[in-house]
Amino acid sequence: MTCRSTMRMIALPDSDACEGRVRWAPIRSLWMIGMTGSALVLAPLTVTPGAVLLWLATSAVTLCLGHSIGMHRLLIHRSFTAPLWFERVLVYLGTLVGMAGPMAMVRQHDMRDWAQRQVECHDLHAHRAPFFRDAWWQMHCRLDLAHPPRFVPEARLRDDRFLAWLERSWMAQQIPWALLFLWAGGLPWLVWGVPMRVAVGVTGHWLVGHITHRRGPQGWSVDDVAVQGYDLPAAALITFGEAWHGNHHAWPDSARLGIEPGQHDPGWWVLLGLRRLGLVRDLKEPAMLSPREGLRRAAETATAHRPPGGRFVSR
């Protein structure tokens, strides 16, 4: 089975994952500067128990239901299915994280995924730059490859008017919530409910990606690719399972990211609950998927291994 995200990137004869130029992305950068600056200046002055609880609750909902489940596991990888109305609710919550619109999220993810699967790729896609440069690149810049692949989204993404509306208005989606928080809890709720949430969520997303593409425990490896995925067990709970990134590189279309015994995956727990309610179905796990070409257990001998719930033959 071909990974869903790789089907949207069509390599051309001259496609090259290495040659390119990092350029400042002014709209994205000013957005992040505004959110981060507001959080740094105003959050320490507006700390209240209610504001902190609001930040925790809204961060959990948007990052878990929205980003991890809605954007990543559903919209990008189609690792489960859901009624269209519920899919749109999840993607809307993912848009509120404040990283980008849904189509930009899909394109950025698929471009990075394609590049990392090549034998070599640019330092930006590999998170190979030093810490602060990588932060600047990932949150304030874009990489223009000289010879990129062609992005061809499927019709259900390309022709969805709701997704197109979210794509045009993803920044403005914060405004109704900002007004609601201001009315309900004053300036503390506004600051902690919007700029603090967005700044911490987006910066945390970059930080986990920076670490999990460079070092850490590794249960699986893939031969002949530019970038490996690693796990970050300490962040498993607060990332709702996304920190099991080595597992995700191994089984990208699995709805379950914590696939080994003892690997906590709150996003998967939520999906199981949603399945009991009849809101999602067809949850994919490694046993249902074909292994990636070159996938093997990290530091394995030439023996066969089993992923949770199924067979795996080393290649």
Side-chain angles (χ1 to χ4, degrees), residues 44 62 74 107 206 223 273-274 278 311:
T62 56
L74 179 55
R107 185 184 187 114
W206 158 74
D223 294 333
L274 293 173
R311 296 180 178 179

Side-chain angles (χ1 to χ4, degrees), residues 286-300:
M288 307 172 186
L289 303 170
S290 299
R292 287 183 57 176
E293 186 68 31
L295 179 65
R296 57 185 174 85
R297 282 290 194 177
E300 70 171 357

Side-chain angles (χ1 to χ4, degrees), residues 5 8 12 29 55 79 82 86 102 183 190 194 201 227-228 258 286 315:
S5 62
R8 304 186 192 103
L12 305 175
S29 179
W55 168 63
S79 62
F86 190 56
W183 171 79
L190 169 62
V194 179
V227 181
Q228 299 289 336
R315 300 188 176 192

Side-chain angles (χ1 to χ4, degrees), residues 52-296:
V52 174
L53 287 175
L54 177 70
W55 168 63
L56 290 172
T58 54
S59 294
V61 170
T62 56
L63 289 171
C64 182
L65 281 172
H67 176 75
S68 180
I69 292 177
M71 286 284 196
H72 193 201
R73 305 188 207 201
L74 179 55
L75 195 69
I76 292 172
H77 287 288
R78 293 290 166 189
S79 62
F80 65 93
T81 57
L84 182 59
W85 72 266
F86 190 56
E87 176 178 329
R88 287 176 170 174
V89 169
L90 294 174
V91 172
Y92 169 74
L93 292 174
T95 301
L96 289 179
V97 172
M99 282 191 271
M103 290 304 295
M105 289 291 294
V106 173
R107 185 184 187 114
Q108 291 169 14
H109 176 281
D110 290 1
M111 176 65 78
R112 185 183 304 274
D113 189 27
W114 172 82
Q116 292 179 353
R117 288 169 179 261
Q118 309 309 304
V119 177
E120 296 181 1
C121 74
H122 192 280
D123 285 352
L124 182 145
H125 283 150
H127 286 274
R128 201 177 290 127
F131 186 84
F132 291 107
R133 182 185 301 171
D134 190 56
W136 174 253
W137 279 3
Q138 303 293 341
M139 292 186 284
H140 298 269
C141 300
R142 69 176 190 271
L143 171 62
D144 293 335
L145 290 175
H147 304 285
R150 188 160 56 98
F151 178 58
V152 185
E154 58 268 39
R156 65 179 299 163
L157 296 182
R158 184 188 64 239
D159 300 334
D160 191 312
R161 294 183 179 179
F162 179 75
L163 295 183
W165 173 66
L166 285 181
E167 188 68 25
R168 294 190 301 269
S169 62
W170 67 273
M171 292 182 186
Q173 295 302 326
Q174 307 292 341
I175 296 175
W177 294 101
L179 295 175
L180 175 63
F181 296 152
L182 182 62
W183 171 79
L187 186 61
W189 278 36
L190 169 62
V191 172
W192 285 77
V194 179
M196 183 66 171
R197 172 179 54 80
V198 171
V200 172
V202 178
T203 303
H205 179 269
W206 158 74
L207 181 60
V208 171
H210 178 82
I211 295 172
T212 57
H213 287 106
R214 295 168 66 98
R215 65 182 70 87
Q218 186 182 26
W220 305 88
S221 64
V222 184
D223 294 333
D224 302 321
V225 296
V227 181
Q228 299 289 336
Y230 302 92
D231 297 326
L232 184 60
L237 291 175
I238 62 172
T239 62
F240 307 99
E242 294 289 332
W244 301 115
H245 204 65
N247 293 342
H248 181 60
H249 272 233
W251 307 98
D253 285 344
S254 174
R256 185 176 184 178
L257 302 181
I259 62 177
E260 306 285 1
Q263 293 184 342
H264 302 304
D265 183 356
W268 174 250
W269 304 338
V270 172
L271 281 171
L272 293 179
L274 293 173
R275 184 171 65 180
R276 290 181 65 88
L277 294 173
L279 292 173
V280 302
R281 62 186 185 278
D282 305 326
L283 273 63
K284 298 176 185 175
E285 298 185 61
M288 307 172 186
L289 303 170
S290 299
R292 287 183 57 176
E293 186 68 31
L295 179 65
R296 57 185 174 85

Side-chain angles (χ1 to χ4, degrees), residues 21-30 33 136 140-142:
R21 182 176 179 184
V22 178
R23 301 178 187 274
W24 182 52
I27 295 177
R28 182 183 181 189
S29 179
L30 292 174
I33 290 172
W136 174 253
H140 298 269
C141 300
R142 69 176 190 271

